[in-house]
Amino acid sequence: MGPGITGVTHHDCSGEYELTFFESYSFFAVVIAGISAMLMLTFSNWRRSLLAFAVQYIAVFWLCSLSLSLGMSGIKLISGIVAAIMLAGAPAEEERRDRFKQPGWIFRLLAGLMVWIVVFSLEPSVASWVPGDVSIRLGGLLLIGMGLMQLGMSSLPGRLMLGLLTLLSGFEILYSSMEKSILVVGLLAILTLGLAFTGAFLLSSREMETHS
C-alpha cells in the first residue's frame, strides 16, 4: 500500500499507476478543459456545444482525480455526461434561434482568449489559498471564467445552463483540493443534475409555448 497523490492512499499498484499518470500529464486536462469551453462559447450549433460540454467533464474528472479518489472523481464524470444527455433533449428550435442571437464567433473567440490571459495572470495569486497542483488552479479558474463569459453572452435558457454548469464544474475542481468529503461530492453531483433537469424543462416549456 502506498500513496499515489498527496492526501489519497491506494491499495493496489494499478490504481497508483493510473493516478501517477494523471498527475504527470495533468496539463493536458487543462488544455482539454480550455478548448472544450472555448468551443462551447464559439459554436452556434447547439448539438456541437453539448458534445464539447460532455468532453469538458473528462477534463473535470482528470483534474479532480489529482485530489480525490478515482471513484469520487468518476461521480463527477457520470453526472456531467448525464447532464449533457438531459440537455440533448432540447428542441431544435432553440438551436435555430441561437444562431441569430449570439454575437459573432470571432468576438466570442477573442473574449475567450482574454479569459485565458486573465486566468494565467491570476493563478500565482490564487496559489496561496487553493492547495494542490497548478493544473487544478488553472483548470478551475479557466472553467469559471469561461462559464461567466457564457452567461454574459446569451439570454437563452440552454446557453445559460451551459454557462452555469461550466462555472459549477470549475468550482468543483478548485473545491476538490480543499474538501474531500464524499457527501460534498454527492451534493455537487445532485446540483449538476438538478441544473440540467431545470434547463431541459425550461427548453421544453418554451417550445410548447411557441407552438401553443
Side-chain angles (χ1 to χ4, degrees), residues 122-132 134 137 141:
L122 289 178
E123 188 277 327
S125 61
V126 177
S128 58
W129 57 272
V130 178
V134 62
R137 294 187 292 273
L141 291 173

Side-chain angles (χ1 to χ4, degrees), residues 178-201:
M178 296 181 283
E179 178 58 60
K180 300 174 175 60
S181 168
I182 184 65
L183 178 61
V184 173
V185 173
L187 289 175
L188 288 172
I190 292 173
L191 179 58
T192 297
L193 295 176
L195 285 174
F197 177 80
T198 302
F201 175 77

Side-chain angles (χ1 to χ4, degrees), residues 95-177:
E95 179 183 336
R96 186 183 65 79
R97 291 196 203 104
D98 200 36
R99 292 193 179 100
F100 293 98
K101 291 194 175 182
Q102 275 200 307
W105 71 270
I106 295 179
F107 173 76
R108 299 196 300 270
L109 178 63
L110 292 176
L113 290 175
M114 188 179 300
V115 171
W116 279 67
I117 295 173
V118 171
V119 165
F120 276 86
S121 301
L122 289 178
E123 188 277 327
S125 61
V126 177
S128 58
W129 57 272
V130 178
D133 194 275
V134 62
S135 297
I136 294 176
R137 294 187 292 273
L138 287 175
L141 291 173
L142 196 55
L143 291 182
I144 289 174
M146 297 298 277
L148 290 173
M149 189 65 69
Q150 183 81 262
L151 288 172
M153 287 193 169
S154 180
S155 60
L156 295 170
R159 293 291 171 177
L160 290 177
M161 284 303 159
L162 285 184
L164 283 173
L165 288 167
T166 300
L167 191 154
L168 178 62
S169 64
F171 171 78
E172 288 186 72
I173 293 172
L174 295 178
Y175 199 63
S176 67
S177 65

Side-chain angles (χ1 to χ4, degrees), residues 47 50-51 53-54 78-90 193 196 200:
R47 305 298 176 181
L50 285 177
L51 180 60
F53 173 75
I78 293 171
S79 63
I81 293 177
V82 171
I85 293 172
M86 293 171 68
L87 289 173
L193 295 176

